[in-house]
Amino acid sequence: MAKNIQSLERAAAMLRLLAGGERRLGLSDIASSLGLAKGTAHGILRTLQAEGFVEQEAASGRYQLGAELLRLGNSYLDVHELRARALVWTDDLARSSGESVHLGVLHQQGVLIVHHVFRPDDSRQVLEVGAMQPLHSTALGKILSAYDPVAHSEVLEVPREGFTPRTVTDLTEFEALLDLTRAKGWASDVEETWEGVASVAAPIHDRRRMPVGAVAITGAVERVCGDSGELRSELVAAVRDCARAVSRDLGAGRF
């Protein structure tokens, strides 16, 4: 069994100590509370300070939690709230569409699936929560790239792999595709990532009207697309309605 890394355990204990009790603590207080030598405690504090997890008050020299922890905490809360707000709406979307529904957020130059509602039939399905999808070829990725400036920057930095003959990899074509996505308000993926699979996605906004995620219907091409090969308009409307409903629950108002 692998051993825990002692320095990380001490850093975690230090953060917990600063999070409780007094708001600011001096070096001696921290070292004494954790049973550490002052030199050891100071080295850990300097590292945490350099990463923004701890701040030192100039006048007193005391330490407190830093802004980076607040940012990370808010990121977790945003995803947690997004999932909580989307539960009912995504369940309804899966039931009404008869297809799988995915909720995705930007993460490490890709799309992280944070919620997955199975297609409401008896077929064998695999839970995809925690899976990563590419930004440039999936409906979720394209809608995030179109509306989120950070996602847009990141999708330009990674290689745009051609998963199928339909995948758009050329930068000029891809930017034109994002322009069209913004004009429509939704994105599609018809066999651009997986053969035989089609998807349609719409953006979710928060109370600041910032894009915080996206919701998508995914299923077999013959079910998601009509006889003409175009996405079924009722599915597009249903995804957009779901995204608007979740956005309203997050305080975004009408879109």
Side-chain angles (χ1 to χ4, degrees):
M1 182 176 179
K3 293 182 179 179
N4 292 341
I5 300 174
Q6 188 180 55
S7 58
L8 292 180
E9 289 182 328
R10 288 172 171 175
M14 203 168 282
L15 292 174
R16 292 191 188 98
L17 179 65
L18 291 170
E22 295 183 37
R23 184 175 176 182
R24 298 183 181 90
L25 292 172
L27 174 60
S28 296
D29 298 324
I30 294 171
S32 175
S33 297
L34 299 178
L36 300 174
K38 280 189 179 181
T40 301
H42 188 233
I44 296 172
L45 284 166
R46 278 188 307 174
T47 302
L48 291 173
Q49 186 177 359
E51 295 297 327
F53 296 136
V54 164
E55 295 174 356
Q56 186 178 27
E57 190 181 43
S60 67
R62 289 175 174 266
Y63 295 90
Q64 64 183 19
L65 294 180
E68 182 65 10
L69 274 180
L70 177 63
R71 186 188 70 80
L72 293 176
N74 283 340
S75 175
Y76 168 77
L77 290 173
D78 285 347
V79 172
H80 182 73
E81 183 180 9
L82 174 62
R83 289 186 64 230
R85 298 288 185 179
L87 288 177
V88 172
W89 299 110
T90 50
D91 281 349
D92 287 347
L93 180 59
R95 186 164 45 249
S96 63
S97 67
E99 300 295 344
S100 298
V101 174
H102 295 89
L103 191 68
V105 299
L106 176 66
H107 181 68
Q108 295 181 349
Q109 298 182 318
V111 183
L112 174 66
I113 304 301
V114 297
H115 185 54
H116 175 199
V117 185
F118 283 163
R119 185 170 63 253
D121 59 20
D122 296 328
S123 62
R124 184 176 179 180
Q125 300 173 64
V126 178
L127 185 66
E128 296 182 31
V129 172
M132 292 290 293
Q133 293 187 1
L135 283 170
H136 71 286
S137 62
T138 62
L140 287 170
K142 283 187 277 187
I143 202 72
L144 289 173
S145 299
Y147 283 89
D148 186 340
V150 176
H152 182 250
S153 296
E154 293 193 352
V155 74
L156 301 182
E157 295 175 1
V158 297
R160 288 174 295 281
E161 181 180 349
F163 298 110
T164 76
R166 291 173 173 262
T167 310
V168 176
T169 58
D170 178 77
L171 179 57
T172 301
E173 291 181 29
F174 184 71
E175 289 285 22
L177 180 61
L178 294 186
D179 287 339
L180 179 60
T181 297
R182 294 184 197 99
K184 296 187 301 183
W186 53 274
S188 64
D189 167 10
V190 181
E191 297 189 284
E192 294 175 53
T193 310
W194 301 284
E195 296 281 359
V197 178
S199 181
V200 56
I204 296 172
H205 298 80
D206 66 6
R207 61 184 62 85
R208 300 161 296 177
R209 300 218 165 193
M210 295 294 292
V212 293
V215 62
I217 285 175
T218 302
V221 171
E222 59 268 23
R223 296 194 307 267
V224 177
C225 297
D227 294 336
S228 64
E230 298 293 322
L231 287 159
R232 289 166 50 196
S233 59
E234 67 270 23
L235 293 183
V236 174
V239 170
R240 299 189 72 188
D241 286 346
C242 177
R244 291 190 191 103
V246 178
S247 297
R248 285 196 300 269
D249 277 3
L250 288 170
R254 294 185 63 84
F255 268 85

